[in-house]
Amino acid sequence: MDFKSSIDVSASGLRAQSLRMRVIAENLANQDSVATTPGGTPYRRKVASFAAAVDRDSGATEVKLQSITTDKSDFTRVYMPGHPAADKDGYVMKPNVNGLIEAADMKSAQRSYEANLNAIEAARSLTMRTIDLLK
């Protein structure tokens, strides 16, 4: 694998983890968003999934977005009879976003992003050492 291919692979990983962090940030921002109408559905957690894809030019396997889907897990119900979004029994549906899970996913995405940055730096460093040897 040449220098450009290794940079392209790591760059695709950077793009993927950046998108993953954006989706997680959206989930965290909406973890308290409830429906605007009584008995309505609140914000539903989103999950980004990725797949390996072969780049035709370089032959390297890169990371591509497969889809952004919604989490089908159940909403939690909280008894809040005075809330405008409460149903006839006084319950409000809360989003299916768990802040602890999102924080762990964010940390994982951050570590993967850093690993890709380190891979780019290592490829650059090795190339610079090779150039220095050829002088």
Side-chain angles (χ1 to χ4, degrees):
M1 186 180 300
D2 64 347
F3 176 70
K4 184 182 178 325
S5 295
S6 61
I7 295 295
D8 289 344
V9 169
S10 292
S12 74
L14 289 174
R15 284 189 298 275
Q17 295 308 323
S18 178
L19 177 83
R20 184 175 168 212
M21 286 188 276
R22 185 190 60 78
V23 170
I24 293 168
E26 182 180 329
N27 289 339
L28 286 169
N30 287 294
Q31 72 180 352
D32 294 321
S33 299
V34 295
T36 56
T37 59
T41 56
Y43 175 82
R44 190 172 284 278
R45 178 179 185 255
K46 294 179 182 176
V47 179
S49 58
F50 303 96
V54 176
D55 184 288
R56 292 182 187 195
D57 296 334
S58 65
T61 304
E62 298 181 348
V63 180
K64 299 288 182 190
L65 174 68
Q66 185 173 3
S67 65
I68 297 178
T69 57
T70 55
D71 184 353
K72 302 294 186 212
S73 63
D74 294 332
F75 297 119
T76 56
R77 294 178 59 194
V78 178
Y79 185 69
M80 300 170 74
H83 196 280
D87 62 11
K88 62 179 176 18
D89 298 326
Y91 286 94
V92 175
M93 301 287 272
K94 300 286 275 182
N96 59 346
V97 177
N98 183 332
L100 293 174
I101 291 173
E102 299 301 323
D105 286 349
M106 182 67 85
K107 193 58 148 177
S108 172
Q110 179 185 2
R111 298 288 176 158
S112 294
Y113 191 92
E114 290 171 359
N116 282 297
L117 280 177
N118 288 337
I120 289 172
E121 179 58 31
R124 188 193 67 78
S125 177
L126 288 173
T127 302
M128 294 308 294
R129 286 183 189 171
T130 303
I131 290 171
D132 287 344
L133 286 173
L134 296 174
K135 288 183 182 179

